[in-house]
Amino acid sequence: MSQTASAEATTATGQAGSPASETGSSHRWWILAIIGLAQLMVVLDATIVNIALPSAQADLGFSDGNRTWIVTAYSLAFGSLLLLGGRIADLFGRKPAFLVGVSGFAIASAVAGAATNFEMLVAGRALQGLFGALLAPAALSLLTTTFTDAKERAKAFGIFGAIAGSGAAIGLLLGGILTEYLNWRWTLYVNLFLAVFAIIGGTLLLKRTPRDRSAKLDLPGTVLVTTGLFSIVYGFSNAESHDWSSPLSWGFLAAGAVLLSAFTWWQTKASHPLLPLRVLLDRNRGASFAAMLIASAGMFGVFLFLTYYLQLSLGFSAIQTGLAFLPMVGALMVSATASTNFLLTRISPKIVVSLGMLLGAVGLVGITGLDLSSTYATNVLPPLLVIGFGIGLIMAPAMSLATAGVAPDDAGVASASVNTMQQIGGSIGTALLNTLAASAATSYLVGKDPTNKLVQANAALESYSTAYWWSAGFFAAGALITVLLYRRGVPQTDPDAAPAVHM
């Protein structure tokens, strides 16, 4: 990485000024900081608003039934448009896609923060999801094309994976601080400050890449995958507020499955496919997509229900709850960095990622027995650290291997696929675990006095424990799947793959 940008571009692709020209930047570590800041904005908003919802509801006067739409509006737009956003970044350039994504996300955050009614808040959140779907794949593909040296790539993806994995927990902490000391609107306004640095840095440091004017956008594929992903996310979101037997749940899920099947068929026929199947068919890459999907679903058993337990059962404040997750974030960062810098250079991802899955399962089993007399230091912290180490061993290697060896023209859509798996996994986890937890609480109350506060508290504990067990099951299944799917041996560098290194 000591050569100039033009020399590296010529070596990698045979012509200067190609997409590989980004890789030789002497400011690549500053570029990593900019990309990391933008990614933090996206992952923060998955949870930072959650703690602020009661305050926003009291201020704007919307119902409990409408409250879920503040979260769903974001996830619907984000999850359904990610592949389109990734392809736009490939076709029109990663730098403009990144800058438009950051700017639009900031404007949408300002709209949502200034909301005077429920409709304006939901519209702002949907716009955040739309621009986030453009920003997230552009950020990850920029990382893929900026760091091509194997050792530097490992460090960069370790840091990026730590941000992606810990962002939800950081969102809980920051949301608590801003809500308690300022007001709920600042959980949205904070994005304006982050965006300023990302826009200035991106404008100055990122290099513009030439556009392939012969390439075309796959419109039929775009319609099929966007409506299919929308239906899947919407169906799972409805399962939280409706029964699984409701047409709004199973109907949309079935429609989503049909549409995504049609999309897969169309990609084999399209002359300019939105998601070339060659991106999915690499064995390590497919295993990484599966790992992201499963881990994201299981993680919600930690962030969502442990948040409820700490606040409602142990009486923690919003800030105390956020602080309680910090040790897990520290463990996650350590293992994420170690996994890409050291472990993947010596050990097969079959072992590294599977070990992470097993640690996640063990940690979650460790918190299934939490009760009203449990203490944070003795009963919560140890398994939380185990979970953090596990998630770090999953997220960073999976993100790195999911985008390694991808051709420059496919970097954006490959990156979008990673984000899609994370978003769809989170939606599935939220809906499924909420439904199972609610059923467990209802079953516990049968034959008992539902007005008794102790009975109510124990019913809540039963619901949390059920969610933890199912989350542990997700991670256990993930361990088996990744053992079967990942290739044996240490990932090897492919000198012919440019600009991304096939690790």
Side-chain angles (χ1 to χ4, degrees):
M1 296 294 290
S2 59
Q3 303 300 315
T4 64
S6 59
E8 287 188 21
T10 304
T11 301
T13 65
Q15 61 179 22
S18 70
S21 62
E22 298 171 35
T23 65
S25 172
S26 59
H27 302 294
R28 56 192 173 277
W29 295 107
W30 283 107
I31 291 174
L32 173 61
I34 295 163
I35 294 171
L37 197 63
Q39 178 68 11
L40 182 62
M41 259 192 345
V42 174
V43 293
L44 275 179
D45 270 70
T47 56
I48 193 171
V49 175
N50 290 11
I51 287 180
L53 276 180
S55 298
Q57 184 177 1
D59 190 14
L60 300 181
F62 52 85
S63 67
D64 288 345
N66 285 333
R67 186 169 58 189
T68 186
W69 282 103
I70 309 303
V71 177
T72 303
Y74 179 80
S75 62
L76 275 174
F78 188 60
S80 60
L81 294 171
L82 270 166
L83 283 177
L84 175 59
R87 209 50 177 166
I88 288 174
D90 288 334
L91 295 179
F92 299 100
R94 287 176 280 277
K95 178 177 180 177
F98 178 85
L99 293 176
V100 170
V102 173
S103 303
F105 199 92
I107 293 170
S109 299
V111 170
T116 56
N117 53 49
F118 170 74
E119 290 77 14
M120 184 175 176
L121 179 57
V122 170
R125 290 287 286 166
L127 282 174
Q128 279 186 309
L130 185 154
F131 285 105
L134 182 62
L135 170 60
L140 186 53
S141 59
L142 281 167
L143 186 68
T144 300
T145 55
T146 298
F147 290 90
T148 58
D149 176 80
K151 291 183 178 180
E152 291 192 345
R153 177 187 170 90
K155 292 178 183 178
F157 269 89
I159 295 169
F160 192 83
I163 292 172
S166 62
I170 295 173
L172 293 173
L173 172 60
L174 191 56
I177 292 173
L178 294 172
T179 301
E180 188 158 329
Y181 289 109
L182 294 171
N183 62 56
W184 67 270
R185 297 180 186 276
W186 282 96
T187 62
L188 296 155
Y189 288 149
V190 68
N191 290 323
L192 299 175
F193 297 96
L194 298 176
V196 166
F197 291 104
I199 292 170
I200 293 174
T203 301
L204 295 176
L205 298 179
L206 295 178
K207 289 181 168 47
R208 185 179 293 273
T209 54
R211 174 187 170 186
D212 182 3
R213 298 189 178 277
S214 65
K216 297 180 180 179
L217 188 63
D218 174 17
L219 291 178
T222 299
V223 173
L224 286 170
V225 76
T226 299
T227 54
L229 290 173
F230 178 92
S231 297
I232 292 289
V233 176
Y234 188 75
F236 275 111
S237 298
N238 271 312
E240 296 180 58
S241 53
H242 299 77
D243 191 82
W244 286 97
S245 61
S246 168
L248 289 175
S249 300
W250 67 261
F252 274 96
L253 291 174
V258 171
L259 288 166
L260 291 181
S261 297
F263 168 74
T264 303
W265 169 81
W266 174 252
Q267 295 309 282
T268 66
K269 305 295 183 183
S271 56
H272 298 282
L274 179 68
L275 176 58
L277 294 185
R278 61 181 176 270
V279 172
L280 301 177
L281 295 180
D282 177 83
R283 187 168 168 181
N284 276 357
R285 194 173 300 128
S288 297
F289 289 151
M292 289 295 296
L293 180 75
I294 295 167
S296 297
M299 279 168 57
F300 276 82
V302 184
F303 295 132
L304 184 62
F305 293 95
L306 193 55
T307 296
Y308 291 159
Y309 171 75
L310 292 173
Q311 290 194 12
L312 302 180
S313 299
L314 296 189
F316 280 33
S317 68
I319 293 178
Q320 287 175 319
T321 301
L323 290 172
F325 282 101
L326 281 187
M328 188 193 79
V329 173
L332 191 155
M333 289 182 172
V334 169
S335 62
T337 304
S339 63
T340 51
N341 284 331
F342 304 109
L343 297 180
L344 280 187
T345 61
R346 297 168 174 82
I347 305 173
S348 167
K350 183 186 289 287
I351 298 174
V352 176
V353 179
S354 300
L355 175 61
M357 292 287 187
L358 286 175
L359 287 175
V362 169
L364 279 157
V365 170
I367 59 175
T368 56
L370 293 176
D371 56 33
L372 298 176
S373 62
S374 299
T375 63
Y376 173 77
T378 303
N379 306 107
V380 178
L381 181 58
L384 202 58
L385 290 173
V386 173
I387 294 168
F389 279 116
I391 294 174
L393 291 178
I394 300 167
M395 300 294 279
M399 281 192 163
S400 179
L401 292 172
T403 54
V406 178
D409 292 344
D410 296 330
V413 75
S415 303
S417 299
V418 177
N419 283 282
T420 299
M421 293 300 169
Q422 189 174 13
Q423 182 64 31
I424 297 300
S427 297
I428 293 172
T430 301
L432 185 58
L433 294 174
N434 264 321
T435 303
L436 293 167
S439 297
T442 301
S443 298
Y444 180 86
L445 290 172
V446 173
K448 300 180 179 68
D449 180 8
T451 62
N452 185 293
K453 290 187 177 181
L454 181 59
V455 170
Q456 292 175 354
N458 285 323
L461 290 175
E462 182 68 20
S463 71
Y464 305 155
S465 179
T466 299
Y468 302 148
W469 276 114
W470 276 91
S471 294
F474 290 159
F475 280 106
L480 177 61
I481 290 170
T482 50
V483 161
L484 294 175
L485 291 184
Y486 274 113
R487 294 192 187 98
R488 294 179 180 273
V490 177
Q492 299 299 311
T493 300
D494 180 1
D496 296 324
V501 173
H502 183 42
M503 296 176 64

